[in-house]
Amino acid sequence: MLLQVTNSPFNQEQAELLNRLLPSLSESQQLWLSGYLSACNTQAAASAVGLQNPPGALQQTEATQATKELTILFGSQTGNSQGLAEEISEKLKSMEYKITLESMNDFKVKDLKKLTYLLIIVSTHGEGDPPDTALPLYEFLYSRRAPKLNDLHFSVLALGDSSYEFFCQTGKQFDARLEELGAKRLSPRVDCDLDYDEPAARWFEDVAQSLKKMDGDFSSGPAGDGAFVPAVSSPIPDQPKYSRTNPFRAEILENINLNGRGSNKETRHLELSLEGSNFKFEPGDSIGIYPENDEELVNSIIEELQLDPSESVPINNQGEVRSLAEALKNHYEITVLSKQLLEKASEANEKLKEFIESGDHHKDYVKGRDLLDLVRDFSPWNISAGELVGTLRKLPARLYSIASSYQANPDEVHLTIGAVRYESHGRKRNGVCSVHCAERAEPGDALSVYVQKNANFKLPSDPDIPVIMIGPGTGVAPFRSFLEEREEIEAKGKTWLFFGDQHFVTDFLYQVEWQRWLKNGVLTKMDVAFSRDTKEKVYVQHRMLDHSRELYDWLLEGAHVYICGDEKNMAKDVHATLLEILEKEGGMTSEEAVAYLADMQQEKRYQRDVY
């Protein structure tokens, strides 16, 4: 119904404003506005006669309080989304919101229609895929069962890696789908690269200001009791001083090549001292290492661009500066190209701009190339040292699964790192962190590290539950941690390890330790696959099929299954093999086998740490 000026107390301009506003309000918004105006009138009347707490004001406080319920859902593979969600939850609690904080894996989708405010914090895994914990909600939203969400107000914080083509794809999909279902944005989606602290803080401030307006709090000043700063950069007393943004300098105690002479691989076993760090970790967590770029590569880039290596350039937004040479060595990513980097760099290079505008060639170009390739391929350049670092993203840490138990080694952490070396586009290439550890990190040196929690890859709380571990190559690292822990706590549950690599003689990582655990019963059973020792290549999934009946029996006993390692090939093959075993030994249809594994994932009996 339109408001007519002739029979209302409003002038023409006010009536037009109301006629534009009222049809756009949902039922809950109309009720809130009605209560708000009623309370304002009651408060004004009460003030005139000196009442402090008129009845209407109390009712309005209760109504407003009822709307201050907010749900935060996170979808996390490595723990970053969960960590941010927990910090934002605490901040919103200080603003007197009643917070429900859950992993998407635990959220009951039937409750979606009941929500008024929803924040989604989700990472993108692999080539644009949702993380495992996000799959149930993701699939529900894209199913025919997804409800209309006209009363929902939401915002999405997307985490990703801009070196991948489908950057923040999962966050973009959640954002678009919620809009399609009728939900309204509290604030625009923000897409974060690996260095996510500042954009995450800006997103939170936008969300907080929108919430204040929605709930009728129009006071000026920062949201809540101050601007949001992730706890990793502002520790509170019961947390360690060191963190992702303030890494600990861990001394290298041991650096050993695990592979034998003649191996095609080089796998380093690192033992780091954590004494004084106040770090604590559990089996399944990871260590982040901030590496150094190869000095030879840094010098080649500076020489090609004819820049002064001693010129000062910024390394952050706080005004800190370093020499160009040090900045490129320690602070900026120079070994990975992305579309975003090419677009920024094209501002200083017309030839590159034409290349980008001519089509999607950049998708193929960025694969296997680094900054030196870009500099040489599109020479000459008209770029200053400051402009150069302005095109680059921060040098991100590399995550490695912890290969030791805190209970067994409280002042140490052990890592298993495979050195990455390959040739691409006529040049030899090195993995930034792995080759730094293999070639330039000696005992007595120090590495900048922090602990990355991973709640999605954890041993069962009941030590009597059977455990099946599948980890070829360096993917076996967390299972060394699992078994050290179970030995320390004297767990009684059965354990079964599937391990694979190229050659028995040169590549049987931690062989003596597995044999000792088999002898003392910490490890119940072990099956190995050495792919290059036989005419036909044999992998861990083949060994699983060899023992399909026994493996199925373990599943019936409630065993938890863990997979660690390569996602593109190994993890997909192992997943397919599990489905095959369920069909073969359990007499299931393919649909029933898929549902069985999905239920295992939901129950946290099937966990993956894949990359």
Side-chain angles (χ1 to χ4, degrees):
M1 178 183 293
L2 291 178
L3 185 66
Q4 302 296 324
V5 177
T6 54
N7 57 4
S8 78
F10 301 104
N11 61 36
Q12 182 70 38
E13 183 179 0
Q14 290 171 325
E16 289 176 357
L17 288 171
L18 287 169
N19 283 329
R20 286 202 298 270
L21 172 65
L22 292 174
S24 69
L25 298 180
S26 66
E27 184 178 349
S28 62
Q29 290 172 322
Q30 292 175 28
L31 289 171
W32 184 92
L33 183 60
S34 174
Y36 175 75
L37 293 173
S38 174
C40 287
N41 291 333
T42 305
Q43 181 67 50
S47 297
V49 295
L51 291 177
Q52 296 299 313
N53 293 305
L58 179 60
Q59 292 169 8
Q60 173 59 24
T61 300
E62 292 172 350
T64 302
Q65 199 66 30
T67 67
K68 295 191 75 168
E69 296 183 1
L70 186 148
T71 297
I72 303 175
L73 299 179
F74 58 86
S76 190
Q77 194 75 29
T78 62
N80 287 334
S81 294
Q82 180 172 350
L84 276 173
E86 290 169 351
E87 296 306 323
I88 286 168
S89 171
E90 290 304 310
K91 193 66 180 177
L92 287 168
K93 286 178 183 176
S94 74
M95 295 167 59
E96 299 183 350
Y97 279 88
K98 181 182 178 182
I99 302 299
T100 299
L101 173 67
E102 284 188 301
S103 168
M104 292 178 180
N105 196 43
D106 297 326
F107 178 68
K108 293 181 175 60
V109 293
K110 66 181 177 61
D111 292 338
L112 197 57
K113 281 193 71 172
K114 303 175 185 177
L115 305 184
T116 302
Y117 296 140
L118 171 64
L119 301 183
I120 283 191
I121 304 173
V122 65
S123 62
T124 294
H125 189 54
E127 297 295 335
D129 299 322
D132 289 348
T133 56
L135 275 172
L137 179 60
Y138 177 88
E139 291 173 350
F140 174 76
L141 286 174
Y142 277 91
S143 74
R144 297 176 65 86
R145 293 185 176 87
K148 290 296 181 183
L149 300 171
N150 297 324
D151 292 333
L152 179 67
H153 296 81
F154 76 97
S155 189
V156 174
L157 182 68
L159 273 60
D161 181 342
S162 64
S163 66
Y164 286 87
E165 180 180 352
F166 300 104
F167 174 55
C168 288
Q169 181 75 4
T170 301
K172 293 173 182 176
Q173 289 173 327
F174 270 110
D175 185 62
R177 184 57 176 158
L178 288 172
E179 183 183 39
E180 287 174 6
L181 295 171
K184 301 168 185 65
R185 290 184 185 85
L186 280 165
S187 63
R189 184 192 77 248
V190 169
D191 298 335
C192 301
D193 207 343
L194 298 176
D195 186 30
Y196 54 75
D197 295 278
E198 291 180 7
R202 290 194 300 270
W203 174 79
F204 173 78
E205 288 304 310
D206 288 345
V207 166
Q209 291 297 341
S210 295
L211 287 170
K212 288 171 71 176
K213 290 177 183 177
M214 291 287 293
D215 289 324
D217 181 359
F218 297 101
S219 59
S220 59
D225 57 359
F228 167 70
V229 180
V232 289
S233 57
S234 180
I236 56 179
D238 64 346
Q239 292 181 317
K241 174 184 175 184
Y242 298 101
S243 62
R244 188 177 64 84
T245 53
N246 183 30
F248 177 71
R249 293 289 288 172
E251 181 184 352
I252 300 171
L253 303 174
E254 296 283 355
N255 188 345
I256 302 165
N257 184 5
L258 294 176
N259 298 99
R261 184 177 300 173
S263 174
N264 298 321
K265 297 185 173 185
E266 182 180 355
T267 309
R268 312 300 300 195
H269 172 80
L270 266 69
E271 298 184 3
L272 308 179
S273 171
L274 295 182
E275 188 174 0
S277 69
N278 201 27
F279 284 150
K280 289 182 172 60
F281 56 83
E282 297 177 338
D285 291 341
S286 298
I287 286 289
I289 301 178
Y290 284 102
E292 296 176 356
N293 283 311
D294 183 5
E295 198 166 341
E296 184 178 338
L297 178 61
V298 169
N299 293 337
S300 296
I301 292 169
I302 294 173
E303 185 178 334
E304 286 285 338
L305 291 171
Q306 299 180 3
L307 297 173
D308 179 359
S310 64
E311 182 177 346
S312 294
V313 294
I315 59 167
N316 55 36
N317 293 330
Q318 283 73 54
E320 290 185 73
V321 298
R322 298 288 188 275
S323 71
L324 176 61
E326 184 181 344
L328 293 183
K329 181 180 178 182
N330 296 309
H331 298 281
Y332 288 101
E333 178 85 85
I334 62 174
T335 60
V336 177
L337 298 182
S338 66
K339 181 183 177 182
Q340 287 87 339
L341 188 155
L342 264 59
E343 288 174 344
K344 287 183 180 180
S346 70
E347 296 173 10
N349 190 299
E350 194 63 34
K351 183 180 173 184
L352 177 57
K353 184 179 290 186
E354 292 174 2
F355 175 75
I356 294 173
E357 292 173 350
S358 65
D360 290 337
H361 313 300
H362 66 272
K363 293 180 181 178
D364 291 325
Y365 180 80
V366 298
K367 295 175 183 175
R369 288 186 170 92
D370 60 20
L371 185 60
L372 182 58
D373 294 307
L374 182 68
V375 166
R376 287 175 173 171
D377 291 344
F378 292 92
S379 182
W381 289 80
N382 180 24
I383 192 169
S384 67
E387 290 169 337
L388 172 64
V389 299
T391 68
L392 306 176
R393 70 175 182 178
K394 297 292 178 59
L395 180 61
R398 270 56 174 181
L399 292 177
Y400 295 98
S401 299
I402 291 173
S404 59
S405 161
Y406 179 86
Q407 299 264 25
N409 309 279
D411 289 326
E412 297 179 11
V413 68
H414 302 172
L415 304 172
T416 312
I417 301 176
V420 177
R421 299 183 179 90
Y422 60 100
E423 188 167 315
S424 176
H425 304 289
R427 279 179 49 215
K428 291 183 178 179
R429 319 277 172 158
N430 293 328
V432 176
C433 192
S434 64
V435 173
H436 174 200
C437 292
E439 296 182 357
R440 305 191 299 276
E442 301 289 341
D445 294 342
L447 295 171
S448 296
V449 304
Y450 64 93
V451 171
Q452 177 74 48
K453 298 288 185 181
N454 186 0
N456 304 313
F457 201 73
K458 286 286 174 281
L459 281 166
S461 55
D462 182 352
D464 292 337
I465 289 176
V467 171
I468 299 170
M469 302 163 285
I470 305 159
T474 57
V476 82
F479 305 135
R480 182 176 184 268
S481 171
F482 279 20
L483 293 175
E484 269 198 359
E485 180 86 358
R486 290 174 73 84
E487 180 178 39
E488 192 70 18
I489 66 174
E490 299 182 354
K492 303 302 181 186
K494 297 188 297 183
T495 55
W496 189 352
L497 175 64
F498 290 89
F499 171 75
D501 215 312
Q502 290 188 353
H503 298 284
F504 173 87
V505 174
T506 59
D507 304 319
F508 198 164
L509 308 183
Y510 301 116
Q511 178 184 1
V512 173
E513 295 184 37
W514 309 130
Q515 290 173 333
R516 179 176 66 81
W517 279 322
L518 281 167
K519 186 175 181 180
N520 67 20
V522 172
L523 181 57
T524 309
K525 184 177 177 65
M526 184 174 188
D527 283 282
V528 296
F530 294 99
S531 60
R532 305 301 193 273
D533 283 348
T534 52
K535 186 175 181 180
E536 291 186 12
K537 292 181 179 178
V538 178
Y539 299 108
V540 287
Q541 62 267 26
H542 299 124
R543 294 299 183 223
M544 292 168 64
L545 285 172
D546 290 342
H547 302 279
S548 62
R549 183 67 225 180
E550 186 176 2
L551 197 151
Y552 180 68
D553 288 340
W554 279 50
L555 295 182
L556 294 180
E557 293 173 30
H560 286 219
V561 178
Y562 300 86
I563 301 172
C564 183
D566 166 56
E567 179 189 30
K568 288 184 180 178
N569 299 306
M570 182 278 296
K572 289 183 179 178
D573 290 341
V574 167
H575 185 86
T577 300
L578 286 170
L579 292 173
E580 185 178 347
I581 290 171
L582 291 171
E583 292 177 35
K584 175 186 173 185
E585 305 296 347
M588 302 181 191
T589 65
S590 59
E591 292 79 10
E592 289 170 339
V594 168
Y596 189 96
L597 276 190
D599 287 343
M600 284 184 62
Q601 250 177 335
Q602 189 75 21
E603 296 163 5
K604 297 181 173 58
R605 285 183 54 211
Y606 179 36
Q607 300 181 34
R608 308 191 314 159
D609 181 10
V610 295
Y611 38 85

